[in-house]
Amino acid sequence: MLATLLALTLALPVATPLDDGVVETFWPGGGLRERYEVDEAGVKHGEFTQYREDGSTAVTARYRDGELQGRYAELDEEGELLLEGMYEGGERSGYWRTYEDGVRTLSATYRKGVLDGRWESEEPDRSHKIKATYRRGVLDGRYTESRPEERWERSATYKKGLLDGAAKIKVGNKVVSRRKWERGFLAQLDGLVPYPRRLPALTEELRLARVVASGDREDPISADRQYALMRLKTYRALCGLPWRTITLDEKWNDLCDAASEVCQANGELDHTPEQPDGFDDDRYRQGYEGASHSNLANGGLARSVDMYMDDSDPSNIDRVGHRRWCLNPSMGKTGFGAAGSWAAMWSMDGSGPSAKGVEAVLYPPPGYVPLDLFGPRHAWSIQLVKGKTPASKEDIEVEVVRLDEVHQPRGEPLELDWKDINRGGYGGGPCVIFRPVDLQYRAGVRYGVKVSLDGGKSLAFDYLVEFVEAPQGD
């Protein structure tokens, strides 16, 4: 506020020096605006007062050799304090306090212009309090945040500006959440590992997966095949599945081309297509083989993998089969083909090494999820690779709840407009499928997910999903 008030002073060139080393400036209407002392060279030195047009005092301060020195205060029209603090050599140094409606809202300590020492803030209605310690401008030490009316308190420790060590949240005398931070990273949350991969590590792996390989110059759709392969690898990398060694099989590329040609000629997607009128017999047989082993799409080869991973339209949400083939843990190679906007992806392959330790394939997966790899109306799926499966969909209980900035539930769980299990063998075992309504889909939003497969007797899955920005230029 001081900088703003003083800037206005500079806009008014008229100043009246008095005989006793005091300078006065005036508002356009004639009222006194400033009164301050100067030394023999005309530099501010001594008392400084600034007034509003109504004559009330706005600022009181002291200067030494042109720099703020000593107590500085801002007041409202009634003369009540809004801010008070100490300056030394033009920099904040010492206590610093703010007030609202007579209530102190901030108490802090500065040294040489930076926060250093105890820091306390409080809402005027006393509904929210924070106590912390700063060292050399960054949080360092014990930190507590409380909402007294709710008997809610969060305690943590900062080291050099980063959360570090054990932290907890209490309601009354009961601890409702425990967590552990490691240099700003939430490593544990109530017994869970909320982020299986740190964001820099995930970002780097996805960066490698997003590389589009050079193709065959003699193949007119090679670039689209390579782009589709890149998208497939990216989704698999996101979900923690093998992706680096997946290759295109030239024979399967050709069979997928044939499948696309048959679908184009018939004007429909069909895994067991009839032979189009006048269509070559041999090419039809290749097309049939390709169609019966492939994901099929109409929308262009380059975006076909994104369509398969969505898979949430009314005709596919009951099984999300295309997605499950894309996320088949044992996939080792594939093929992509196209004819116009019609596209095919060879799906039925098990030549790759199974993902070690994978008991389920979740999409979206636990942890960070870039915005370009999911969507607000995408179904959520859990493909059960190992373990027991629910006897019926009535045994499936799902809770998806928004989490706030301290990873606590915010509001009621989202309504679901789909919840079921599909037992087909699309790329692996059975699959639990659900879809929350009114999902907030933007960077920084996070959800807690709990899934029971035995009617609520136990939790089969308990995890967190946080959406993050997609990489620029992708």
Side-chain angles (χ1 to χ4, degrees), residues 44-167:
K44 289 178 182 176
H45 189 95
E47 299 292 335
F48 171 94
T49 306
Q50 189 174 74
Y51 303 90
R52 296 183 181 84
E53 288 189 86
D54 63 6
S56 62
T57 300
V59 175
T60 63
R62 288 189 62 83
Y63 278 83
R64 178 185 292 172
D65 298 328
E67 295 181 327
L68 283 164
Q69 179 75 23
R71 185 176 182 270
Y72 165 83
E74 295 178 8
L75 301 94
D76 64 16
E77 291 84 348
E78 305 299 324
E80 296 292 332
L81 273 172
L82 296 173
L83 185 154
E84 63 175 339
M86 296 294 290
Y87 277 87
E88 183 175 344
E91 296 181 319
R92 296 181 186 182
S93 188
Y95 70 85
W96 192 265
R97 302 164 186 159
T98 63
Y99 302 85
E100 188 173 336
D101 298 327
V103 176
R104 184 185 297 179
T105 56
L106 174 67
S107 178
T109 303
Y110 282 83
R111 287 184 176 83
K112 296 183 178 181
V114 299
L115 285 164
D116 196 292
R118 193 67 179 163
W119 189 93
E120 297 184 9
S121 69
E122 183 174 14
E123 293 296 322
D125 61 1
R126 306 185 188 278
S127 62
H128 187 209
K129 299 180 180 180
I130 295 177
K131 295 182 179 181
T133 301
Y134 279 84
R135 288 186 175 86
R136 297 180 181 179
V138 298
L139 285 164
D140 194 300
R142 186 73 171 168
Y143 175 97
T144 60
E145 178 182 5
S146 62
R147 297 195 288 264
E149 290 185 0
E150 303 172 25
R151 301 183 67 200
W152 180 95
E153 181 181 273
R154 178 169 72 104
S155 59
T157 302
Y158 280 85
K159 292 182 181 179
K160 297 181 179 180
L162 299 174
L163 282 163
D164 195 85

Side-chain angles (χ1 to χ4, degrees), residues 206 209-210 229-239 373:
L206 293 180
R210 291 177 189 272
L229 178 62
M230 177 275 292
R231 290 302 283 177
L232 176 65
K233 288 183 174 182
T234 302
Y235 282 109
R236 291 178 65 87
L238 173 69
C239 293
L373 298 178

Side-chain angles (χ1 to χ4, degrees), residues 175-180 188-192 194 407-408 462:
V175 177
V176 298
S177 179
R178 296 183 185 274
R179 58 278 310 275
K180 182 180 180 182
Q188 294 182 18
L189 175 64
D190 299 326
L192 303 176
H407 297 82
Q408 287 292 283
D462 187 0

Side-chain angles (χ1 to χ4, degrees), residues 311-320 322:
D311 226 16
S312 303
D313 58 281
S315 63
N316 285 296
I317 192 173
D318 64 330
R319 58 194 182 282
V320 291
H322 302 92

Side-chain angles (χ1 to χ4, degrees), residues 5-15 25-28 31 33-34 36:
L5 294 171
L6 296 184
L8 292 174
T9 303
L10 298 176
L12 295 171
V14 178
T25 66
F26 297 88
W27 290 102
R33 188 176 186 279
E34 292 177 339
Y36 55 89

